[in-house]
Amino acid sequence: MIKVSCYTLIGITAMTLFLSSCSSPALDDYSDVRYELTDQNGETVIFPDDYQGSPLVIGFIYTNCPDICSFITANVGKVYEEMDNPGDTKFVLVTFDPERDTPEVLKSYAQAFDMDREPFQFLTGDPDTIDDFMKRVSVRSQESYSRELDNGDRMYFLNHTDKILLINENSELIFDYGGSMTPVNIIIEDLQKLL
């Protein structure tokens, strides 16, 4: 008969829990949240509920961005265009500047990239919802420049996180990329593992 001390059992239990947690590829799980957003056509979208059952490529932008947001947007588009078979993957861009990025503004922006069509969606929402959503996906933005225009409007630019996420069909975050920097073929290779 083998005698096992209490400390040995605790050690075995801790090691089992550690190994089981290492086997999960998910970086986060969004199935416990619910964000009501609006797409470029004015339709209500619920994240992540409306995307469950399909992989999701999602980037974060604002339409007045003078630099990397256009690269993030283009990269999301290229992933779709360069895939042999994207299946039922959804491709989404969410603004973190809801004050200016109304559905109409997002629609015009999507048209400029030839992305105002399926399977692409551009999303906005009320400022509190967008703020909560951005905190959850670890996208940060901060005003970097501001001035008042002659007509009384305020122009401003934002420093922000450069990010594209790959989320699986179960609303689990699988990969987190530098949105403007990651070669599209890497995102495609990772996405194909989910199809």
Side-chain angles (χ1 to χ4, degrees):
M1 181 170 157
I2 300 174
K3 291 188 178 183
V4 180
S5 74
C6 181
Y7 295 112
T8 303
L9 287 176
I10 291 171
I12 291 170
T13 303
M15 184 61 77
T16 302
L17 289 172
F18 174 76
L19 291 174
S20 66
S21 67
C22 289
S23 65
S24 173
L27 302 173
D28 200 349
D29 183 349
Y30 300 123
S31 62
D32 64 337
V33 296
R34 184 181 189 278
Y35 297 104
E36 186 172 310
L37 304 168
T38 305
D39 73 10
Q40 75 269 26
N41 298 312
E43 300 292 326
T44 299
V45 175
I46 307 300
F47 175 90
D49 299 8
D50 289 346
Y51 302 105
Q52 288 208 339
S54 301
L56 175 63
V57 177
I58 184 169
F60 303 92
I61 52 109
Y62 78 111
T63 63
N64 285 278
C65 183
D67 45 44
I68 66 172
C69 291
S70 59
F71 296 110
I72 295 169
T73 304
N75 280 349
V76 170
K78 284 179 188 175
V79 171
Y80 172 72
E81 298 297 337
E82 295 182 15
M83 283 193 73
D84 291 331
N85 180 13
D88 62 349
T89 303
K90 307 298 183 197
F91 297 85
V92 174
L93 288 132
V94 184
T95 182
F96 42 81
D97 186 17
E99 299 284 351
R100 293 185 289 183
D101 290 341
T102 63
E104 296 78 20
V105 169
L106 288 176
K107 187 169 187 68
S108 178
Y109 182 83
Q111 289 168 343
F113 285 88
D114 190 30
M115 292 169 69
D116 185 27
R117 58 189 168 92
E118 289 293 331
F120 303 107
Q121 277 187 312
F122 290 74
L123 303 178
T124 188
D126 71 77
D128 289 340
T129 300
I130 291 293
D131 187 52
D132 287 347
F133 185 30
M134 294 304 151
K135 285 177 184 168
R136 181 60 196 266
V137 295
S138 299
V139 170
R140 291 169 181 76
S141 63
Q142 179 180 14
E143 195 172 289
S144 61
Y145 173 83
S146 173
R147 79 177 170 97
E148 191 170 318
L149 303 176
D150 293 338
N151 65 3
D153 289 343
R154 190 170 69 89
M155 179 183 77
Y156 57 90
F157 295 108
L158 302 169
N159 285 332
H160 59 87
T161 307
D162 179 10
K163 185 176 286 209
I164 291 175
L165 302 179
L166 180 57
I167 298 172
N168 71 13
E169 69 280 358
N170 299 316
S171 304
E172 296 171 322
L173 173 60
I174 303 301
F175 292 101
D176 183 330
Y177 309 99
S180 66
M181 306 173 293
T182 303
V184 169
N185 66 303
I186 291 175
I187 301 173
I188 290 172
E189 285 173 17
D190 292 338
L191 177 55
Q192 285 172 331
K193 296 170 189 171
L194 303 182
L195 297 173

